Amino acid sequence: MSVFNYIDGELHADAVAVKSIAASVGTPVYIYSATRIASNFRRYRDAFENANCTICYSIKANSNLAVLRLLNRLGAGFDAVSGGEIHRALSVGAPGGMIVFSGVGKTRPEMELALAAGVRHFNVESVQELLRLNEVSGGMGKIARVAVRVNPDVDARTHTKVSTGRAEDKFGVPIAAARSVYERATELPNVDCVGLAMHIGSQIMSLEPFLLALRKLAGLVRELRAAGLRVRSLDVGGGVGIRYSPDDPEPPDVGEYARMVRRELDDPQLELELEPGRSIVGNAGILASSVVLRKEGAGRDFLVLDAAMNDLVRPAMYGAHHDIVPVSEPCRDSAIAPIDVVGPVCESGDRFAAQRLLPKLEEGELVVIKTAGAYCAAMASEYNSRPLAPEVLVSGSRWAVVRRRPRMKESLALESVPEWT
């Protein structure tokens, strides 16, 4: 059930009118529903509760501290892919033992930070990283818990830029080399090799790629154990996809996904981790924007918003679809016509939708770009010297600004001009 609904002709987030938030904070503005985030997380927690599984929210999807604090209080673990994300998880009270550290290019300072924090384990992605981690942990007098991330060479059938489990992708150890890397890890003095990890991609709309990858992982577990090696932990990767449009297929059922994981990895001694991100926050967020003007072009018209590709880059970067709706509910008999919805950034790629059917909207009216809770604010930039949009968290009838819009002088203060210029 949606938490973004028209009430008395005005779009609301939970019980708060989007128009009232926009009037107070200005536009563009991201608005997140704590109700939906909690509901989405509980879906995973409840589905996997009998599988000895820790749900480690993928911070990169939406790293706002209020979102992380909410999930921490719900019992989530965290999947971090940088030192900055580890800092964020720790700052909201997450214990180090609930943080998994992933990523193909961990630096020495990041390793030191993670070791000092006592992270749950490092998902190691190469022999070079393994040797470096052994050296760093030895220098600190610590033992690094590691899981060897395997590349199972499975096509996730998703966008090529978010597919991470094919042989040509940069992530993980090739599955044919996994045993030798695992054996090497068990021989190192400053490493405790606890298990395996994989992650085949994001926005996956079928269980079949997961099944193929899980079966390869399960076969590798049997091979390692037959060789006398201990395997105590498996990180099985990310969650299922979400719908961005009514035309999208229904995503896989989380309960069915959990049953498949339990069936393929039927071992009560295994500790499991799962790393959903998009499916926890994606449909819990919107981006509200004001119409700057309606421009007539040669052969097509343009609806120019005050939001731009620096606020929501997914359409420009991935060709992604996001539904766009007016904040004031149109009449049932309102005329609709195709129009390009664009932003003011000086790029032809700054386009949210091409020839989208919308009612006639004029300067100052509000629209909402839907399903903007994941990989929107987290990927935002200050391109064209545009300040980052604020973020608002709503819960029932309450709302709060959880990241304010920076003042231009604050952005300028980060830079300096040498005297010799």
Side-chain angles (χ1 to χ4, degrees), residues 1 41 59 148 162 164 212 222 233 250 302 343 398:
M1 181 178 178
F41 174 76
I59 297 173
V148 175
V162 294
T164 59
L212 293 173
R222 290 192 293 270
S233 173
E250 283 287 343
F302 300 90
R398 300 175 298 175

Side-chain angles (χ1 to χ4, degrees), residues 37 63-72 88 92 393 402:
I37 293 171
S63 58
N64 184 278
L65 293 181
V67 171
L68 302 187
R69 184 174 179 84
L70 170 64
L71 290 166
N72 179 59
R88 283 181 172 270
V92 299
L393 185 67
V402 294

Side-chain angles (χ1 to χ4, degrees), residues 19-204:
K19 183 176 289 187
S20 68
I21 295 175
S24 177
V25 178
T27 56
V29 55
Y30 306 99
I31 303 172
Y32 310 131
S33 166
T35 304
R36 173 48 64 88
I37 293 171
S39 173
N40 288 340
F41 174 76
R42 290 188 184 108
R43 258 195 325 151
Y44 280 100
R45 186 190 64 190
D46 295 347
F48 282 87
E49 66 176 345
N50 296 321
N52 192 21
C53 183
T54 301
I55 309 301
C56 296
Y57 167 70
S58 183
I59 297 173
K60 63 181 178 288
N62 186 320
S63 58
N64 184 278
L65 293 181
V67 171
L68 302 187
R69 184 174 179 84
L70 170 64
L71 290 166
N72 179 59
R73 288 185 166 181
L74 290 169
F78 294 97
D79 170 58
V81 293
S82 71
E85 289 188 351
I86 292 174
H87 276 297
R88 283 181 172 270
L90 294 173
S91 73
V92 299
M98 292 290 280
I99 302 171
V100 172
F101 189 19
S102 305
V104 72
K106 306 176 189 72
T107 65
R108 290 177 185 269
E110 287 177 323
M111 289 178 175
E112 291 169 354
L113 168 66
L115 287 163
V119 297
R120 188 181 187 90
H121 57 74
F122 293 76
N123 284 345
V124 170
E125 307 210 18
S126 65
V127 172
Q128 295 87 341
E129 180 190 343
L130 180 63
L131 297 176
R132 177 183 297 171
L133 180 59
N134 179 66
E135 178 188 336
V136 172
S137 58
M140 295 177 65
K142 293 183 177 293
I143 301 295
R145 285 169 52 94
V146 306
V148 175
R149 178 171 176 177
V150 176
N151 185 319
D153 192 19
V154 169
D155 187 349
R157 303 176 192 171
T158 184
H159 194 287
T160 186
K161 292 183 180 180
V162 294
S163 189
T164 59
R166 301 165 300 184
E168 64 266 29
D169 295 322
K170 68 180 180 180
F171 300 97
V173 174
I175 193 163
R179 176 175 169 177
S180 64
V181 175
Y182 201 95
E183 289 173 337
R184 184 73 179 276
T186 63
E187 297 167 354
L188 296 173
N190 307 307
V191 163
D192 177 19
C193 192
V194 299
L196 299 167
M198 71 171 184
H199 196 301
I200 62 172
S202 178
Q203 187 54 8
I204 301 173

Side-chain angles (χ1 to χ4, degrees), residues 293-298 300-304 339-342:
L293 55 86
R294 186 183 184 93
K295 177 184 174 182
E296 293 183 1
R300 62 175 61 198
D301 292 345
F302 300 90
L303 191 69
V304 184
I339 193 166
D340 281 18
V341 184
V342 302

